[in-house]
Structures are given as C-alpha cells and as structure tokens.
Amino acid sequence: MDIQTLRQTHPDHWMRATAIRALTLDAVAAANSGHSGMPMGMADVATVLFEKHLKFDPKAPRWADRDRFILSAGHGSMLIYSLLYLTGYADMTLEQIKNFRQWGAITAGHPEYGHVAGVETTTGPLGQGISNAVGFAMAEESLRARWGAKVQDHYTWVIAGDGCLMEGVSQEAIGLAGKQQLSRLIVLWDNNGITIDGKVSIADVTDQKARFAASGWDVFECDGHDPADIDRALTAAKASPRPAMVACKTHIAIGHAAQDTSKGHGALTDKAQLQAAKDGYGWKGGPFEVPADIKQWWESLGAKGAKARTEWEARLAALSPAKQAEFARIFALEAPAKLASIIRGVKKQAVADLPKLATRASSEKVLAAVNPVLPETIGGSADLTGSNNTKTADLGVFTPEDRKGRYVYFGIREHGMAAAMNGMALHGGVRPYGGTFMCFTDYARPSMRLSALMGIPVVYVMTHDSIGLGEDGPTHQPVEHLAISRATPNTLVIRPADLVEVAEAWEIALTEKTRPTVLALSRQNLPAVRKTHTNTNMVAKGAYVLAEATGKRQVILMATGSEVEIALKARDALEAEGIGTRVVSMPSMELFAAQDEAYRRKVLPPGPVRVAVEAGVRMGWDRWLLGERGREGKAGFVGMSSFGASAPMERLYAEFGITAEATVAAAKALL
C-alpha cells in the first residue's frame, strides 16, 4: 500500500505511525549517526502491535506478566526508543531522544538492557534478539506450567530483519523453538529485501518462509504498511499452536529519497531529503515535535495496559502468602534459605568420604542436592548430557507435552543454547545452566559475552577443561579458553579442584545476580584435596592456602582444578628436600582480585619463589606471578604453550611437562 493510499484510507493510523518516522529522522540527523530505514519501514507494524496486541504498562515496566517485545534488528533502535517515549515510559524523555547516541544518554546506538526500561535485551549483534526470544518463550511456558495461566500468560514478540535471519545462530534458535512448539513466540520479519551492501539477493537466495515452515513454525504474511492486513496476520499468529513467523512486506525508509535502497539502511541526514520525506508524510511538526493529540493517543495505550496489570496484581494477591513470597523470591533472584545448609551437607559428606571424582561428576552430585530445593533451575546440555553431567533425576524433561520438566535437550546448538539461556535469565523467574565442552566456548562465545555485558547470572557448565580429556585430541582440548573467559569483563570463572570446591562454586553461581559464571570442570578423576570441613566458602575468596610450608617458606605453588593435585605432589617432594613450600588453590582469579590487599598479601606474601601450574596457556597468570609483590626472576609457569595432542591423558601430561617433577624442577631453578 503506497503512502497516499495509506493517508487516505487510514489517516489516523498513518499519522500515529509517522510520529515514529519523524522522531527517527530527527534523532539520526541530530546525531549524524544511526540507522533510519528500518524504524521508518516497520513503524506501521509496530503501531498495530502496540495498539491492538501488546500487553504492557509503561508505569510498571518490569511487571512479571507483561508481553516481551524484542527488537532483534537492534540497529533500528530508534524504533523502540520512539515507542517508549510516545507511550510514556518515564525515563525515555524527549531530551533522551534528542541526545541519541551521545555520551551519557540511555538512547544508545543499539538497545542495551539495563539502560532503558522497556528494553528487554541487548540486541547489537544480529541474530541475538530472535535467539534470546526462544529462551523468553521457554521461560514463559515453564512458569505458566508451574504457576498457572492466572499468574503467567503472555507472548514474546520479536521484530527481526534479514541480518538476524542470515546469522547462523538464528537457525539454531528457530530449530529449537519449532521442536519445542513455543506457541507464544511470534517473529515479525521486516521483509524489505535490503542490506548494507545492497539487495539481499546479492548474497542470499533462502526462502525464509519455507525455512521457518521446515523448522516447525507456522508462517503468515501481510502488507507491512496496511494496518488492517497487519492486524489480521498478528491475530492469526497469536492463534497458532506453534511458533509463528509473520513475513511483513515493507519498504525500507518508506517515503524518503533512499526508499528501497541500501542507502536507506543507514543514517539519512540530508536536510532537504528529510524535509521532503516529512512533507510527503503530511507531517507538520518541527524537529522533535509530536502533536499533542498524537502523543496523547500513544499514552492512552499504556493506560489500557495498567488495567491488565492491576487485574494481574489482584490475581497474584489471591495466592497464599507463601506462594506470593516464593514468586517474589524467584524474580528477585534470591536463593532459598535452604541452599546454604544443603551446600554444607555436601561438603561435610565429601570430607567424610574423600571421593576421587572428576569435577564434572562432583558437579552432578551438587546439582542432585540443590535442584530439588531450587525449583527455578532449568538445566540443559548441547547434546553432551552424559558427558557434562548436567541432568539430575528430579528434573524431568522440558517438552511440549511436559512444560514442568526442567531439563532441556538443546541439541548440537552451543550458540543457540547460550542465547536461549540469556533469554531465560532476562525473562526472570528461572535460573538457567547449560553444559558443553570447555573448548566449545568458542561456539557459544558471542552469547557468553552478552551475558557478561548485560550482567545476567547464566551458569555455563564447561567440562573436559584441559588436555586431561585425552584421546579426543587438540580439536577438543582447550588451552586458551580459560584465558579467553577470564579476559571477558564481568565474567566469573571458577575452576574447582574437588567436590568441596565444586560445592562452593555452585553456591556462588546460584547466588550470583549480576554476572555469568563459567564452571571449568575436569573429565578425569581427581583426588580430594580439601580434607577438613569448614563452613566458610573458601572458593569465594578466590584463592587460599591449601597446604602450608612446614619450615621456612621458600616456594609458593599456585594451581587450579586438576593441577592442584600436581602442586600438592610437588610440595611433598620439595618439603622432603627441606624446601618449605606453600600450596595455594586459586579456583577464581576474579574473586581473589576482589579481596582486600591485606588478604591477598597474606596468601601471596613477598619473598618466596612463585610457580603457577595450570594445563592452559600462561596468559592471565602474570598478575599473580610478577605482580602482587612477585618479581620476574622468581616466577615460573608450568602449563601449555601450544595446542594439545591425541593420546591418553597420562602420556599428554608427561609429554607437555605438566607434572610434579617438572614443577619441582621449575621451583628449584628459581631458588
């Protein structure tokens, strides 16, 4: 439908949608930066969505039963910023719109979670939003099954573009959504046929509608500028028993000289062309001016949402006080009071039994103890359940037939799994954890980075964490992955050495609120190294003295995970030669760095030789070897400086020189 027909046939709708276009053009022009075309093209779809389908209340942006609206095509951030301003979200002022993309403004170049009320997830990297949305929809299904439709009953709406659908993670996500029959998930595809380089056809011939259908979705189409046709398609999509994709045929940068061209994707800042577009729209307002009647109409949509929200609050208030408290607890990310005692019980039993276990198996033991008292946990694995040890007997399996199941078979979809877990955590009410091999953090990394950027407590259970996995060889043996994870800001990396440290690591991960946790766990069995019980969570200190020198302290050996055993054996040999040796277990560099100077000095005093032992690369260790009162002439590292090899574990450790004997030699060479 062309502009003139729209203006004549749907005059009120046209001017309401044009408020989005005008604000977009003004904000991008003022910033001289941004992406104009998508908000202009999808303004009609967004207007119909917010007017007739979306359940939201600007006065209660975190209301637990709101519909989730996700702008996966995050470069078009002015679409969501315009919508939030127009509908009356308090923090999205006109001043913020005017300061689009400027220092200190909440109107960032791509929507960022935590900056703006109403932005559900950070969607800079394409494909992330649609993939997060799968997790949002899974969380809604899980919570509806647990709490009933009176408490949780809403949709997840996504606007996605061609870029989102070309990114490979989108196929992982839509395949998972189709399998899970997520009927409350609706993707609105901005089908404009244009990317930055030109027409989509220069790079892609995929039939997207057939692709979604083949992945188990119901597919609908509409004229993305005709409000009646949009409403028809969205109504049909909501009634679908499967996830739905609506192909919205649109013109990028509609009404502008750059319409239907790659130039229309980016910043449209030419003053004459901008004014010509506004004239063609019939828009009379000056820069950043929205007529009062149009602004009032948009704000009235929020008032409708307030009624739905207060009705929901009444239903929640009808629950028993205990259920209300439990609902509030899970959405506040508060651990149940029982967790601490459960962890203490696991630790006491571990000290009594001193089991020789792979830390992946220790993790399963801990999960078996804590999952029954944390009904909000949802676990999973990327087709490595038996290897990651992430499934416990009480969980059941999350399927279309059993939404109360709490274990997800994600399939061979590491990136999709991580993105979905982000969506679950962002939705609220659930605590997701998922496993794969440590080496395949490579496949999950874009979403792991966003977990950290958004500050959400997803738990990554990364097993087979070193050359200790053995015969699978260098493709599966992580050597740089601990360093990569530690290098990522706001990421907590924990590499525990035995069952006690694993229990403490899980206690930390399950009480974390503002960052993801990476648990690096061994394939091979490890001896117990913590042999006396303490209620104190020593892993929470990041590093601690595990074994002290019996005489004058001359050497400090630092180690993590599977190499703590090697450090203890090296200590025995050094002590036998009269060389006083302290062993420091350092399961988390981040947690140790957060301790005060006095504690760090107590653990790593000046003077002794320092040797770090870890079956990974040295990067990240120099702070503890050379800094913190250390010095280069008295520091050594026993670990990897190359990729691994295919052989039994024992042979690999010997060949790469990660042994007690090599550790002793390194220490003595520095004395």
Side-chain angles (χ1 to χ4, degrees):
M1 189 175 286
D2 61 76
I3 290 176
Q4 290 307 313
T5 305
L6 273 170
R7 288 183 61 181
Q8 293 168 7
T9 311
H10 304 284
D12 291 338
H13 162 86
W14 173 255
M15 296 310 291
R16 293 161 182 168
T18 294
I20 297 169
R21 298 182 175 102
L23 286 170
T24 295
L25 286 168
D26 291 338
V28 171
N32 197 32
S33 173
H35 300 80
S36 311
M38 192 284 282
M40 296 166 70
M42 284 296 279
D44 296 301
V45 173
T47 300
V48 173
L49 173 62
F50 272 64
E51 177 187 5
K52 297 190 174 181
H53 298 279
L54 193 72
K55 182 170 65 171
F56 72 106
D57 181 2
K59 301 296 189 289
R62 300 299 298 167
W63 164 34
D65 198 37
R66 68 193 181 280
D67 281 359
R68 272 45 169 195
F69 171 60
I70 295 168
L71 184 64
S72 188
H75 54 279
S77 59
M78 270 309 303
L79 177 69
I80 193 167
Y81 298 153
S82 298
L83 289 163
L84 298 178
Y85 164 67
L86 290 168
T87 54
Y89 282 75
D91 59 347
M92 187 54 69
T93 62
L94 190 59
E95 196 64 23
Q96 292 289 352
I97 297 288
K98 290 179 179 179
N99 284 304
F100 177 56
R101 289 191 164 209
Q102 304 308 299
W103 176 263
I106 62 177
T107 43
H110 293 78
E112 294 189 34
Y113 174 75
H115 289 212
V116 185
V119 169
E120 302 285 2
T121 182
T122 296
T123 56
L126 291 174
Q128 286 292 330
I130 187 174
S131 304
N132 295 160
V134 175
F136 276 91
M138 291 172 73
E140 192 276 339
E141 293 279 2
S142 176
L143 289 164
R144 181 153 37 89
R146 179 182 173 193
W147 292 92
K150 290 183 178 180
V151 177
Q152 288 286 276
D153 186 13
H154 53 264
Y155 286 85
T156 299
W157 299 88
V158 184
I159 287 181
D162 288 298
C164 296
L165 302 190
M166 284 192 207
E167 291 289 356
V169 67
S170 70
Q171 182 56 43
E172 296 185 27
I174 70 171
L176 177 61
K179 162 62 186 170
Q180 290 292 346
Q181 298 177 28
L182 302 176
S183 63
R184 304 302 181 86
L185 173 61
I186 301 173
V187 171
L188 310 175
W189 171 34
D190 179 17
N191 180 18
N192 60 42
I194 296 293
T195 64
I196 293 173
D197 277 354
K199 292 183 180 298
V200 168
S201 59
I202 68 173
D204 191 39
V205 296
T206 303
D207 183 335
Q208 296 292 356
K209 291 176 287 185
R211 173 191 174 208
F212 274 81
S215 300
W217 291 55
D218 288 329
V219 177
F220 304 88
E221 297 182 66
C222 69
D223 178 333
H225 300 298
D226 179 347
D229 202 36
I230 296 165
D231 182 39
R232 173 199 57 76
L234 270 55
T235 301
K238 286 167 69 176
S240 167
R242 304 194 295 177
M245 187 270 261
V246 182
C248 306
K249 189 62 180 173
T250 61
H251 295 289
I252 197 168
I254 187 172
H256 192 278
Q259 176 180 316
D260 299 331
T261 70
S262 59
K263 182 174 173 53
H265 174 91
L268 304 180
T269 58
D270 182 277
K271 290 183 179 179
Q273 291 180 349
L274 189 156
Q275 190 57 51
K278 286 186 175 182
D279 292 344
Y281 297 155
W283 189 256
K284 304 300 184 186
F288 299 104
E289 286 184 7
V290 178
D293 60 326
I294 293 176
K295 183 69 165 73
Q296 185 177 18
W297 178 85
W298 274 105
E299 290 181 356
S300 73
L301 302 184
K304 289 194 300 185
K307 180 176 183 293
R309 190 251 307 167
T310 54
E311 290 171 352
W312 173 82
E313 288 173 343
R315 295 194 297 273
L316 187 68
L319 299 178
S320 69
K323 285 187 175 180
Q324 290 181 59
E326 174 71 355
F327 190 83
R329 179 189 71 77
I330 62 175
F331 273 87
L333 290 170
E334 298 290 347
K338 290 181 181 178
L339 178 63
S341 63
I342 292 289
I343 295 295
R344 282 197 302 272
V346 172
K347 289 167 61 177
K348 286 180 179 178
Q349 192 64 49
V351 167
D353 296 343
L354 298 179
K356 186 172 184 177
L357 286 173
T359 49
R360 59 173 177 151
S362 295
S363 175
E364 183 178 10
K365 275 187 172 293
V366 178
L367 287 171
V370 301
N371 273 336
V373 300
L374 271 82
E376 64 267 35
T377 57
I378 293 182
S381 169
D383 198 53
L384 291 167
T385 295
S387 295
N388 300 148
N389 299 76
T390 41
K391 187 175 186 293
T392 57
D394 62 300
L395 289 181
V397 179
F398 181 82
T399 66
E401 297 73 35
D402 182 10
R403 296 303 197 195
K404 291 185 177 180
R406 291 161 51 205
Y407 191 79
V408 181
Y409 289 113
F410 283 103
I412 305 101
R413 300 183 177 107
E414 291 88 356
H415 195 180
M417 174 180 74
M421 289 197 296
N422 281 347
M424 292 181 201
L426 290 162
H427 180 281
V430 298
R431 270 193 180 268
Y433 69 86
T436 186
F437 289 170
M438 185 79 189
C439 194
F440 300 140
T441 54
D442 287 341
Y443 283 61
R445 173 158 169 73
S447 292
M448 294 176 72
R449 180 175 185 267
L450 285 171
S451 301
L453 183 65
M454 291 187 279
I456 50 177
V458 173
V459 183
Y460 295 99
V461 182
M462 299 305 189
T463 71
H464 298 57
D465 67 350
S466 74
I467 61 170
L469 68 87
E471 292 85 349
D472 273 337
T475 61
H476 282 49
Q477 291 166 7
V479 294
E480 74 273 36
H481 299 78
L482 281 166
I484 290 170
S485 295
R486 289 168 178 157
T488 306
N490 200 43
T491 297
L492 178 58
V493 183
I494 308 179
R495 189 170 187 243
D498 68 357
L499 176 53
V500 173
E501 284 197 354
V502 169
E504 292 177 346
W506 268 112
E507 183 176 31
I508 294 163
L510 292 170
T511 53
E512 192 45 77
K513 292 185 178 182
T514 60
R515 57 182 166 178
T517 302
V518 177
L519 298 180
L521 305 175
S522 75
R523 178 201 183 202
Q524 70 271 35
N525 288 338
L526 305 176
V529 298
R530 287 273 290 278
K531 298 181 179 180
T532 57
H533 176 70
T534 173
N535 285 339
T536 303
N537 188 319
M538 299 303 293
V539 169
K541 297 180 181 294
Y544 61 94
V545 177
L546 179 63
E548 186 55 283
T550 55
K552 179 185 176 183
R553 188 188 309 118
Q554 299 180 64
V555 175
I556 297 176
L557 302 178
M558 298 177 284
T560 72
S562 49
E563 286 69 67
V564 171
E565 171 190 11
I566 292 172
L568 289 169
K569 288 179 179 176
R571 172 188 176 272
D572 291 343
L574 289 164
E575 288 274 346
E577 295 186 40
I579 301 170
T581 302
R582 166 185 283 187
V583 172
V584 171
S585 178
M586 191 180 286
S588 176
M589 293 183 181
E590 297 80 25
L591 291 173
F592 186 49
Q595 304 304 307
D596 60 36
E597 167 72 17
Y599 178 76
R600 299 200 312 273
R601 185 181 184 90
K602 184 178 178 182
V603 175
L604 296 179
V609 161
R610 297 182 188 179
V611 177
V613 190
E614 186 173 72
V617 298
R618 178 168 170 161
M619 186 176 291
W621 276 103
D622 281 357
R623 172 172 179 178
W624 316 113
L625 289 169
L626 311 181
E628 299 283 331
R629 299 155 300 279
R631 55 193 178 91
E632 190 161 3
K634 300 182 75 172
F637 179 72
V638 175
M640 298 294 293
S641 58
S642 67
F643 292 111
S646 183
M649 176 201 74
E650 295 82 4
R651 182 67 181 270
L652 291 170
Y653 271 85
E655 293 289 346
F656 286 107
I658 307 175
T659 63
E661 294 76 16
T663 304
V664 168
K668 290 170 71 173
L670 295 166
L671 286 170

